[in-house]
C-alpha cells in the first residue's frame, strides 16, 4: 500500500579516507559511509584502515564496502575486518557472484549518459536488471563512463523507467545544488529512494568538505520537506 506520507531519504557519503570526514558525516546525520576497496581508485583504502575508521561510527550508521570484480578470497578477508558492513558491487559481478559473498549487498547499475545513448540503441533495461539482481538490498544508479564508478557524471534522470520494482539509490554527479531535483524526479519511480554522493562533497579526491557534507544533507532534508507539503504520486509496487 502506498504510504500516506513521504519516506525519509537515506543518505550515504562514499569514498571516505579520513577521521575528520567520518566525524562530519556522522554529525551531519547521514545514514551510511562508504569505503572503497578497489585499488585503482584514488579513494582506495585498505580493509584495515576501513575498520579503523568504522570504529568511529555510532550505532545505526552503516559502513559499506565497495568492490569491483574482487576475488571471493579478498571479499571474505575484508568482510572479516568489518563484520557489520553492507557490500556494494560496482564491477561486472553476476547475481551468483554477489550471492556468493553471503552478505547483504547493493548492486550498481551503469546508466548510459544522455539521450543519444538511448537513440543509438544502447539504452539500459533497468527493470530487467532489477529483476536479475532481485536478491540485492538495493540497485544503485550510476553513470556509465570509462572504467568503474560514475566519474562524477550525472545521467538523464528523466529517461529512467516510470516504475521499477526495487529500492533504488541515486548516485552519479550529485551535489548539494542538484540533489533536490534528483529526488523529486526519481522517488516516484521506485519502492524507496536513497542517495549516494562522493565527488560532490569533495575538495580533492578522497578529501571531503565538512561544509559540503552538511549542505548536501540539508538539501536532502529540504527535498523531504517539500514532498511532505505536496506529496508526489507513488507508483504501486509489490512489497517483495
Amino acid at each position: 500500500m502506498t504510504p500516506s506520507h513521504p519516506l525519509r531519504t537515506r543518505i550515504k557519503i562514499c569514498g571516505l579516507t579520513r577521521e575528520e570526514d567520518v566525524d562530519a558525516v556522522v554529525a551531519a546525520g547521514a545514514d551510511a559511509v562508504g569505503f572503497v576497496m578497489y585499488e585503482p581508485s584514488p579513494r582506495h583504502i585498505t580493509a584495515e584502515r576501513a575498520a579503523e575508521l568504522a570504529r568511529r561510527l555510532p550505532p545505526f550508521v552503516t559502513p559499506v564496502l565497495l568492490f569491483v570484480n574482487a576475488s571471493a578470497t579478498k571479499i571474505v578477508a575484508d568482510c572479516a575486518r568489518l563484520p557489520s558492513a553492507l557490500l556494494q558491487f560496482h564491477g561486472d559481478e553476476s547475481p551468483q557472484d554477489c550471492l556468493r559473498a553471503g552478505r547483504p549487498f547493493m548492486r550498481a547499475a551503469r546508466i548510459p549518459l544522455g539521450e543519444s545513448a538511448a537513440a543509438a540503441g544502447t539504452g539500459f533495461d533497468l527493470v530487467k536488471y532489477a529483476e536479475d539482481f532481485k536478491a540485492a538490498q538495493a540497485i544503485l544508479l550510476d553513470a556509465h563512463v570509462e572504467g568503474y564508478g560514475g566519474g562524477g557524471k550525472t545521467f538523464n534522470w528523466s529517461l529512467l523507467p516510470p516504475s521499477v520494482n526495487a529500492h533504488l539509490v541515486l548516485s552519479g554527479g550529485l551535489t548539494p545544488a542538484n540533489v533536490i531535483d534528483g529526488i523529486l524526479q526519481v522517488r516516484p519511480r521506485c519502492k524507496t529512494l536513497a542517495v549516494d554522493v562522493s565527488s560532490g562533497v569533495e575538495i580533492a579526491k578522497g578529501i571531503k568538505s565538512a561544509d559540503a557534507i552538511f549542505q548536501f544533507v540539508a538539501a536532502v532534508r529540504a527535498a523531504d520537506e517539500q514532498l511532505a507539503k505536496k506529496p508526489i504520486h507513488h507508483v504501486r509496487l509489490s512489497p517483495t
Side-chain angles (χ1 to χ4, degrees):
M1 183 176 180
T2 302
S4 59
H5 59 277
L7 299 172
R8 183 171 76 86
T9 304
R10 307 289 171 173
I11 302 169
K12 171 173 168 276
I13 312 293
C14 195
L16 299 178
T17 64
R18 307 188 303 169
E19 285 83 357
E20 55 262 50
D21 296 339
V22 172
D23 294 346
V25 168
V26 171
D31 302 279
V33 299
F35 302 118
V36 178
M37 301 289 101
Y38 181 49
E39 289 188 8
S41 170
R43 301 175 182 88
H44 168 260
I45 59 174
T46 65
E48 292 82 356
R49 176 63 172 153
E52 185 178 275
L53 292 173
R55 284 195 285 272
R56 305 179 76 85
L57 298 175
F60 313 125
V61 177
T62 303
V64 180
L65 298 181
L66 188 158
F67 294 99
V68 178
N69 299 332
S71 68
T73 300
K74 174 175 172 53
I75 294 171
V76 169
D78 289 357
C79 288
R81 293 187 177 275
L82 286 93
S84 64
L86 177 69
L87 308 188
Q88 181 174 325
F89 293 108
H90 256 268
D92 305 307
E93 297 89 356
S94 68
Q96 293 72 29
D97 292 332
C98 296
L99 287 168
R100 199 170 292 125
R103 299 283 293 273
F105 69 93
M106 296 187 293
R107 182 67 172 96
R110 306 173 75 188
I111 310 298
L113 288 168
E115 296 182 26
S116 59
T122 58
F124 180 79
D125 189 343
L126 180 58
V127 172
K128 180 180 185 303
Y129 193 86
E131 176 61 25
D132 290 344
F133 287 93
K134 59 186 176 183
Q137 190 170 44
I139 302 297
L140 184 142
L141 311 179
D142 212 350
H144 191 163
V145 298
E146 284 294 321
Y148 297 99
K153 301 290 185 181
T154 302
F155 59 89
N156 190 335
W157 303 319
S158 69
L159 295 180
L160 291 172
S163 176
V164 182
N165 192 28
H167 301 283
L168 298 183
V169 181
L170 181 60
S171 185
L174 293 179
T175 69
N178 67 13
V179 69
I180 292 177
D181 188 37
I183 290 170
L184 297 182
Q185 287 202 43
V186 180
R187 188 185 286 183
R189 303 168 185 264
C190 54
K191 286 182 175 180
T192 64
L193 183 68
V195 292
D196 186 349
V197 65
S198 182
S199 62
V201 293
E202 285 184 336
I203 53 180
K205 291 184 178 181
I207 307 298
K208 307 303 184 190
S209 161
D211 287 344
I213 290 171
F214 274 82
Q215 291 165 13
F216 186 85
V217 172
V220 174
R221 298 295 164 242
D224 288 346
E225 290 178 9
Q226 191 171 329
L227 290 171
K229 293 175 182 176
K230 188 178 180 181
I232 53 179
H233 175 69
H234 286 259
V235 294
R236 292 185 178 273
L237 297 168
S238 167
T240 58

